[in-house]
Every structure is written in structure tokens, then in C-alpha cells.
Amino acid sequence: MASSWTGERVRLRAIEPDDWTAFTRFADDDGRRGSRLELPRSAESYRAWAKEQAVAECDDDRFRLAVETTARGELVGTVGSHRTGRRSGWFELDVTIGADHRRKGYAAEAVVLLLRFMFAEWRYHKCLAAIFAHNEASLALFRRLGFTEEGRLREHVFFAGRHHDLVMMGMLADEFGQRHTLSEP
């Protein structure tokens, strides 16, 4: 392993301004983000977003990183911490992998790399992930990683003409340490 940010399959790195084209492709996969239909975005909005991400400061331990393959250096998605409760020691993460790159282990490895950093370096105690109840692939991924279902927000999100449940999954730092190494191998 070359660094704390590199695994066998993926490397986590800062988002660069030129990454906007890959993010445009990911959005074109099916026009959805997190199973929610979104309005079409212009190429310029993707350019602006990537440029903004490239210079963004880590705000209250919230950040987004690019996920690229170690084999080819191809951008395949993002992972990040987007909500934190620093005093209580929790953070919420999300991971998005482009449709052409799913089910190849990229999401799992990206999440483990992020968890290792957040638990070992920034000393967080708990990680949360909010997953749509109908997203069986994501639920299975987080269960395999060692997350536990902590609750279900019934009919919490509205899209595609109806309300959907949101499943809250959680993992504690010591649970992570029992399944994965807290320091880089």
C-alpha cells in the first residue's frame, strides 16, 4: 500500500477541476442521484462544481474525495463525510460509484479507507449511512462491511411519485477495528 489513501483497487484523492467530465457521465448513467430523479444540469454547472470542490477547505470535517482505480487511474466515483457531530463523535458518509463501475469492490474499499481515516486519525466514534430501503445492493454492501441497521425512517423521502423509507445504518469504531485494521496494513 503506497499511502493511507490507497488500497488494492482504489485510491482516494482530491477532486480536480478536470474531473467534471466524469461526473457528467455518472449523472447521464440514468439521470438519478441516490435513486432520486434530478433536473438536467449543464456542463458548465459540472465544471463549476468540480472547480469549487478542487479548492474547497475541509469544513467541520465534511469533505468529498474522488475514487479512482489503482489499475488505470480512472475516476469511478466519490466518497465523503457530509454531516458530523463532532462533540458526540459521529459522522455520516456517502459513497457514489458510476453505473459502469459498480459491483467491482470499489465502493467497499473506498468506504474502508475513509472509515480508517475518520476513526484512527480524527478519532470519531461512530459512522452513520442513510440508505433508501429499496436499494438492496447498498444495504448488502454496508452489512458486509459490518454496519448494523439502527432504524428506519418510514416514508421519509418523496420521489418518483411516492414516499420511501430511509434505513439508518451505523458502525462504531471498535466494531470497525474488529473487522478491519485501524492502521494501514
Side-chain angles (χ1 to χ4, degrees), residues 13 15-25 46-47 50-51 54 75:
R13 63 166 175 78
I15 293 173
E16 296 293 343
D18 289 342
D19 291 338
W20 73 271
T21 56
F23 292 112
T24 303
R25 281 194 314 277
Y46 284 103
R47 276 189 210 95
K51 187 175 181 179
L75 180 62

Side-chain angles (χ1 to χ4, degrees), residues 30-92:
D30 60 6
R32 296 178 180 271
R33 178 174 136 76
S35 299
R36 284 194 236 192
L37 185 62
E38 293 192 352
L39 291 171
R41 289 177 59 183
S42 68
E44 186 55 37
S45 74
Y46 284 103
R47 276 189 210 95
W49 177 84
K51 187 175 181 179
E52 178 183 300
Q53 292 296 307
V55 296
E57 296 290 325
C58 181
D59 179 27
D60 192 28
D61 299 346
R62 292 175 293 191
F63 56 89
R64 176 144 318 279
L65 297 171
V67 178
E68 72 177 13
T69 63
T70 54
R72 295 178 46 207
E74 182 180 9
L75 180 62
V76 296
T78 67
V79 65
S81 166
H82 62 90
R83 289 180 41 194
T84 62
R86 187 180 278 173
R87 286 188 60 189
S88 298
W90 64 267
F91 69 99
E92 189 172 328

Side-chain angles (χ1 to χ4, degrees), residues 82-139:
H82 62 90
R83 289 180 41 194
T84 62
R86 187 180 278 173
R87 286 188 60 189
S88 298
W90 64 267
F91 69 99
E92 189 172 328
L93 71 71
D94 66 89
V95 60
T96 302
I97 302 295
D100 290 345
H101 307 287
R102 293 180 188 146
R103 293 180 177 38
K104 296 179 181 175
Y106 301 148
E109 194 168 73
V111 168
V112 167
L113 289 168
L114 180 73
L115 290 173
R116 185 173 290 133
F117 173 76
M118 295 296 282
F119 288 145
E121 299 300 323
W122 281 0
R123 309 252 185 240
Y124 275 93
H125 174 69
K126 181 178 186 176
C127 177
L128 294 169
I131 303 164
F132 290 114
H134 63 270
N135 188 342
E136 291 297 330
S138 289
L139 290 170

Side-chain angles (χ1 to χ4, degrees), residues 156-173:
H156 189 70
V157 181
F158 184 85
F159 65 89
R162 65 184 191 92
H163 289 89
H164 298 267
D165 291 358
L166 195 61
V167 178
M168 298 304 297
M169 305 286 289
M171 178 186 276
L172 303 176

